[in-house]
Amino acid sequence: MRVLLVEDDARIRLDVARALEAAGFVVDAEADGEDGWHLGDTETYGAAILDLGLPHMDGLSILKRWREAGRDLPVLVLTARGSWSERVEGIDAGADDYLPKPFHMDELIARLRAIIRRSSGHAAATVAAGEAVLDTRQMRVSVRGVPVALSPQEYRLVAYLMLNKGRVVPQQELADHLQSVHFERESNAVEVLIGRARRKLPQSLIETRRGFGYTIAG
Ligand code: CA
């Protein structure tokens, strides 16, 4: 799943981006508020992490603009320590959760996963579909209790479909979640990955809806 990070502090941006990548996410990291707003407005993300104090456009304005434009991606806001007014403003502007600085990377990842699960209608850290079980904390898919050896890309693909189970996911949406905007996309990347993931999973788990996309039954 692709996540947008907007944070102007270079150190925090780098540390968070690394931690997110290690946790299996694809990350687009921006330092500038206006650039961050534009990416969130034009690209597809599974979630965003927003700092509030940013150059050119502050985090609250970004969030308000996204919400006014109907962008409903889950958003985690980074606030100054002990600032209750920032927390209140963040929630009022449409944030799904907030985290005061400084924070532990583990807590950031846990909160991010929680808002993603809530937004896809799953409260628990695991999602079951047929004989397959996704565990987002372990970054693992198991079939009948046996972990499946998926590559990070295959895992992202299967996890995204499982978090959206019961819905047909268009191929373009899948492609958007598998790659950062800074990489050139190969047109058949999704088909290739689907093929590889299918060979490791129960045959009928991922269905193709020709002309529409892919789905895992709910
Ligand atoms: Ca800042």
Side-chain angles (χ1 to χ4, degrees):
M1 180 174 288
R2 189 163 61 149
V3 170
L4 175 62
L5 166 66
V6 192
E7 165 64 78
D8 60 325
D9 182 312
R11 185 62 202 262
I12 298 177
R13 188 172 66 249
L14 199 66
D15 286 351
V16 171
R18 279 205 192 115
L20 289 172
E21 279 162 7
F25 293 100
V26 173
V27 185
D28 284 341
E30 276 298 335
D32 182 87
E34 207 169 332
D35 291 345
W37 161 75
H38 180 71
L39 273 179
D41 203 49
T42 52
E43 295 286 327
T44 315
Y45 293 99
I49 298 171
L50 262 189
D51 183 30
L52 291 184
L54 292 165
H56 297 122
M57 194 187 292
D58 66 88
L60 283 179
S61 302
I62 295 174
L63 186 51
K64 282 180 191 153
R65 283 206 193 185
W66 283 345
R67 294 312 190 217
E68 280 162 15
R71 309 262 174 265
D72 61 354
L73 76 169
V75 175
L76 176 65
V77 161
L78 303 177
T79 65
R81 186 185 180 81
S83 171
W84 62 268
S85 59
E86 281 193 359
R87 295 201 295 270
V88 171
E89 283 175 337
I91 299 294
D92 275 350
D96 296 85
D97 200 1
Y98 60 85
L99 188 60
K101 291 179 181 179
F103 48 81
H104 281 280
M105 237 25 114
D106 288 349
E107 184 175 4
L108 176 102
I109 302 286
R111 284 180 183 272
L112 183 68
R113 285 189 175 134
I115 62 172
I116 291 169
R117 288 198 304 271
R118 284 204 301 269
S119 80
S120 58
H122 302 287
T126 58
V127 179
E131 293 175 316
V133 175
L134 163 73
D135 186 330
T136 57
R137 285 169 309 196
Q138 301 281 323
M139 284 187 276
R140 201 151 65 189
V141 176
S142 302
V143 175
R144 290 183 295 271
V146 181
V148 182
L150 297 171
S151 72
Q153 283 279 68
E154 291 161 7
Y155 168 79
R156 283 188 205 114
L157 174 114
V158 176
Y160 193 78
L161 285 172
M162 286 189 76
L163 285 167
N164 288 280
K165 71 174 183 169
R167 176 167 82 84
V168 178
V169 180
Q171 185 162 323
Q172 185 57 52
E173 184 179 330
L174 273 175
D176 287 344
H177 280 286
L178 293 171
Q179 209 103 105
S180 148
V181 284
H182 305 296
F183 286 93
E184 202 56 53
R185 284 171 201 154
E186 287 174 47
S187 58
N188 66 343
V190 171
E191 284 105 316
V192 171
L193 269 180
I194 291 269
R196 276 198 251 139
R198 265 193 184 134
R199 284 195 283 281
K200 300 177 180 178
L201 293 163
Q203 262 307 311
S204 57
L205 186 70
I206 303 173
E207 284 174 55
T208 303
R209 296 287 171 80
R210 211 155 286 289
F212 294 99
Y214 299 94
T215 189
I216 285 179

